[in-house]
Amino acid sequence: MTTPLSPLRQVRVKVPATSANLGSGFDIFGLALQLYNTYTLTLTCEAGWSVSLPSDIDLPRDENNLVFRAAREVFLRLGVLPPSLHLAQEIDIPLDRGLGSSASAIIGGLVAANMLTGSTLDSTTLLAIATEIEGHPDNVTPALMGGMTLCYATGAQHRYLALPIPQNVQIVVVIPDFEVSTSQARSVLPDQVSRSDVIFNGSRTALMVAALYQKRYDLLAEAMDDRLHQPYRAALVPGMTEAIAAGYAANALGVALSGSGPSLIALTQHETSAVAAALSDAFACQGITCETRILQPDTTGADGVEMKRA
Ligand code: HSE
């Protein structure tokens, strides 16, 4: 049953970053990471929807904020649009770097609005709305559910399965100091690809699933190889091709563009520091500085709590 929108209620939702594609699984695979944004949504007494953000963050501070756009979908679906709402965003996921910042905002808005209205929508419905807003399912699904996910659609139905997370594996994320928007990175992809490239990626995604179930991490390098998006996106990410090669030379298990880039994700077992250095050195050779993060998978997904107001 929908909960009345009484003022002064407040919910806080923590949503993980995600790395989509993992190479071969374009618009299919995604992995949640222990790097978070937090969205606090408060039903206030002042009229209007307002946003507080760190001053250096360039995001809309009005109803066009993506968190609000997602929240509005839930409110409209339930027929309850609050006249007054405040959003406070704490941002640790870098914007437009291929780490799921927009998916995090969408999931944050959906989960917060759902909680404020009595949590009537299930995760399948939230994922359908999120995929509609985002345009692809592979970031929003692990952002909501945590872990590593495989997405597919049957007609208009978006579905997913959880995959085993690689055990005892470190995740190196190298984040270049420039942005690539997902729309830009999708605009460089061809509308048609060759049968041989489809077979290449199809076999690699199947190999990825088998390798994860069998813990054959020695197969990840081949499983993460890709011909459907990375070759076309290399022009947008100077140093990408060299960095991937350098990561493998330093004994990474697997290296790929994270989402639509420009960040790279590398899975490592023993050579984590060497792989991180190899990737960022390859970018440095192009005059690009990077931030390096060593992360663990997030297994919880979006996590919301109702706050007690003083
Ligand atoms: N699968 C999407 C893409 C992820 O590669 O365009 C965007 O982060």
Side-chain angles (χ1 to χ4, degrees), residues 15-58:
V15 188
T18 49
S19 182
N21 303 327
L22 281 305
S24 60
F26 176 69
D27 282 1
I28 300 170
F29 295 139
L31 176 64
L33 302 171
Q34 288 184 4
L35 175 68
Y36 301 93
N37 284 355
T38 303
Y39 308 95
T40 304
L41 216 52
T42 309
L43 295 165
T44 65
C45 300
E46 301 85 43
W49 289 19
S50 59
V51 180
S52 55
L53 276 166
S55 56
D56 58 332
I57 299 284
D58 184 20

Side-chain angles (χ1 to χ4, degrees), residues 20-21 25-28 98 100 134 136 138-139 182 185-186 189 229 233 258-261:
N21 303 327
F26 176 69
D27 282 1
I28 300 170
E134 174 92 324
H136 46 86
D138 46 339
N139 288 107
T182 298
R186 290 178 88 83
L189 303 182
H229 69 108
R233 289 170 163 173
S258 180
S260 55

Side-chain angles (χ1 to χ4, degrees), residues 14-18 33-39 57 59 90-105 143 175 291 293:
K14 189 172 130 186
V15 188
T18 49
L33 302 171
Q34 288 184 4
L35 175 68
Y36 301 93
N37 284 355
T38 303
Y39 308 95
I57 299 284
L59 285 174
E90 293 163 48
I91 305 229
D92 280 331
I93 305 171
L95 302 174
D96 285 333
R97 305 297 167 88
L99 292 168
S101 61
S102 62
S104 167
I175 310 164
E291 183 191 345
R293 308 287 293 255

Side-chain angles (χ1 to χ4, degrees), residues 49-269:
W49 289 19
S50 59
V51 180
S52 55
L53 276 166
S55 56
D56 58 332
I57 299 284
D58 184 20
L59 285 174
R61 286 165 163 74
D62 59 16
E63 295 191 1
N64 294 315
N65 186 290
L66 188 53
V67 181
F68 276 160
R69 282 169 46 205
R72 185 184 296 110
E73 292 298 320
V74 170
F75 293 134
L76 290 178
R77 193 171 281 235
L78 299 174
V80 284
L81 199 59
S84 51
L85 200 58
H86 181 73
L87 165 68
Q89 280 180 261
E90 293 163 48
I91 305 229
D92 280 331
I93 305 171
L95 302 174
D96 285 333
R97 305 297 167 88
L99 292 168
S101 61
S102 62
S104 167
I106 292 166
I107 293 299
L110 294 178
V111 171
N114 195 35
M115 288 179 70
L116 286 173
T117 47
S119 299
T120 54
L121 303 183
D122 61 16
S123 59
T124 303
T125 306
L126 294 179
L127 282 178
I129 302 172
T131 302
E132 178 77 26
I133 298 171
E134 174 92 324
H136 46 86
D138 46 339
N139 288 107
V140 291
T141 305
L144 182 65
M145 307 309 299
M148 175 142 178
T149 52
L150 173 175
C151 294
Y152 64 104
T154 305
Q157 299 282 318
H158 293 286
R159 305 178 200 275
Y160 79 95
L161 287 175
L163 290 172
I165 293 170
Q167 301 295 303
N168 303 317
V169 165
Q170 305 287 316
I171 297 165
V172 178
V173 175
V174 173
I175 310 164
D177 65 354
F178 64 94
E179 298 178 359
V180 173
S181 74
T182 298
S183 57
Q184 182 189 13
R186 290 178 88 83
S187 73
V188 299
L189 303 182
D191 291 330
Q192 300 199 326
V193 293
S194 69
R195 180 187 306 181
S196 62
D197 285 353
V198 170
I199 292 169
F200 183 93
N201 269 57
S203 63
R204 266 66 190 173
T205 52
L207 182 62
M208 178 70 128
V209 174
L212 291 174
Y213 273 98
Q214 295 185 20
K215 298 190 172 61
R216 287 286 309 274
Y217 304 145
D218 57 307
L219 296 175
L220 288 176
E222 277 193 288
M224 289 171 69
D225 205 358
D226 163 70
R227 289 189 186 167
L228 293 185
H229 69 108
Q230 292 183 176
Y232 305 102
R233 289 170 163 173
L236 300 176
V237 187
M240 180 198 92
T241 307
E242 296 81 355
I244 291 175
Y248 282 123
N251 287 326
L253 295 172
V255 191
L257 192 64
S258 180
S260 55
S263 299
L264 295 187
I265 181 169
L267 306 184
T268 64
Q269 234 156 8

Side-chain angles (χ1 to χ4, degrees), residues 277-291:
L279 295 179
S280 59
D281 287 353
F283 279 116
C285 287
Q286 304 289 326
I288 296 166
T289 54
C290 294
E291 183 191 345

